[in-house]
Structure formats: C-alpha cells, structure tokens
Amino acid sequence: MASRKAGTRAKGAAKAQRGSSNVFSMFEQAQIQEFKEAFSCIDQNRDGIICKSDLRETYSQLGKVNVPEEELDAMLQEGKGPINFTVFLSLFGEKLNGTDPEEAILSAFRMFDPSGKGVVNKDEFKQLLLTQADKFSPAEVEQMFALTPIDLAGNIDYKSLCYIITHGDEKEE
C-alpha cells in the first residue's frame, strides 16, 4: 500500500508518468536514449529481442561467467514474453516508479473484501487510509478518489482501481 501512496503523490507532479499505453511518456527523451543504448549493449545478436544468450554474453563481457540458468530465466520471465525495447523500457519504468505488481495490489484489496465481490466501501477504506500505516493526508485521499471508480452505493471497484494504479488512467493523458 505504501508504494500506492507514493504513486498517488507522484500523479499530481507527473500525470503522464504512469500511462503504459505510451511507455515512452514515462521518461524524458535523454533517458529513453540512455535506455536504448543499454538495450543495444545487451541485445548482443542485434535481433531486437533480449534472449538468454544475450544475457549470458553480456555477463561474460562484464567478467561474470557461469551465471546460473535459473537467474537468467528469472530475468527473462519478468518480461512475461519476448523482451523488445518497449518491454525493456516498461520493466525499468515499473522498477523506477516503485509500483507493486497488479496482482500484489489486488491481493491487498482482497483482504478488505471477505465476500469476494470486487468492491470495498469508500468510507471504510478512507478511514483506513487516514489512520493506518503510511497515513494519507485528507488531500491525498481526495486526489486518489478523484480517479477511483466508485458506484452509487459508495463502493470502490478495486480491480479497476488496481488497473489505474499500475497502467495509468486514460483520462489523464
């Protein structure tokens, strides 16, 4: 939840930073160029996709030989598919923004949804945000609720909220 608070605070300062619909909006042009250079250094066979042999060769050039297969596999699995430049950039964006994976955020919300309906009560949730752990200020709560899908009964659709937290809100752009 703490990373969500940090993400909510950052939204006011840099709204476009979260929109993975355009991952390039997360970074300044100079940063993108640096990532492109890093990607090119890792993509040893120059096919536009980082594969296990690319990682092994990069480690070798850095003086680290005998990298365990499991370690290389774990790196590649973070991309959840072929790692092209856009995926590479997205991975760094997630790491740099400090956003928890969507499933971790959903699991946290499920703790407050014992009936499994996919919603939490806005007022109860507001009280938790204001009084527990990494406390939100009233202004931060209102800022978050401005982007939060809330139904007429005062319930938050936390699955939609998790999507907004991890992928950005299309209305922002």
Side-chain angles (χ1 to χ4, degrees):
M1 292 278 186
S3 65
R4 191 175 45 98
K5 180 177 181 181
T8 302
R9 284 182 178 164
K11 274 189 186 289
K15 288 184 178 182
Q17 209 173 31
R18 283 287 163 107
S20 71
S21 59
N22 184 1
V23 68
F24 295 94
S25 69
M26 296 170 71
F27 302 102
E28 295 176 16
Q29 194 59 39
Q31 292 174 302
I32 293 171
Q33 188 57 41
E34 289 175 15
F35 283 122
K36 193 170 283 194
E37 290 171 21
F39 181 85
S40 295
C41 289
I42 298 169
D43 183 20
Q44 297 289 315
N45 62 9
R46 305 287 182 248
D47 66 351
I49 304 289
I50 294 176
C51 62
K52 193 183 294 190
S53 63
D54 292 329
L55 292 175
R56 188 179 314 288
E57 181 61 28
T58 300
Y59 270 114
S60 177
Q61 289 178 0
L62 296 171
K64 186 173 180 182
V65 292
N66 300 325
V67 179
E69 291 288 317
E70 300 80 30
E71 189 174 330
L72 298 174
D73 289 336
M75 287 181 200
L76 292 171
Q77 288 173 356
E78 284 191 48
K80 296 177 179 60
I83 301 177
N84 60 20
F85 181 67
T86 303
V87 173
F88 181 80
L89 203 57
S90 295
L91 290 170
F92 273 95
E94 290 171 8
K95 300 284 185 206
L96 294 174
N97 281 332
T99 303
D100 290 326
E102 191 168 352
E103 190 53 43
I105 298 169
L106 283 171
S107 293
F109 272 107
R110 285 185 193 114
M111 291 175 48
F112 302 105
D113 180 23
S115 63
K117 294 180 180 175
V119 296
V120 293
N121 180 272
K122 175 188 171 190
D123 294 331
E124 291 173 15
F125 189 61
K126 180 178 182 177
Q127 188 62 27
L128 289 171
L129 292 174
L130 292 170
T131 61
Q132 303 296 314
D134 194 7
K135 297 176 180 107
F136 278 49
S137 71
E140 289 169 327
V141 171
E142 293 311 312
Q143 181 183 12
M144 186 195 78
F145 284 160
L147 296 172
T148 303
I150 302 171
D151 66 19
L152 296 174
N155 293 313
I156 297 170
D157 174 356
Y158 63 79
K159 292 176 185 175
S160 295
L161 178 58
C162 287
Y163 185 86
I164 291 169
I165 291 168
T166 57
H167 296 89
D169 182 21
E170 296 301 320
K171 294 182 286 189
E172 286 184 351
E173 296 175 9

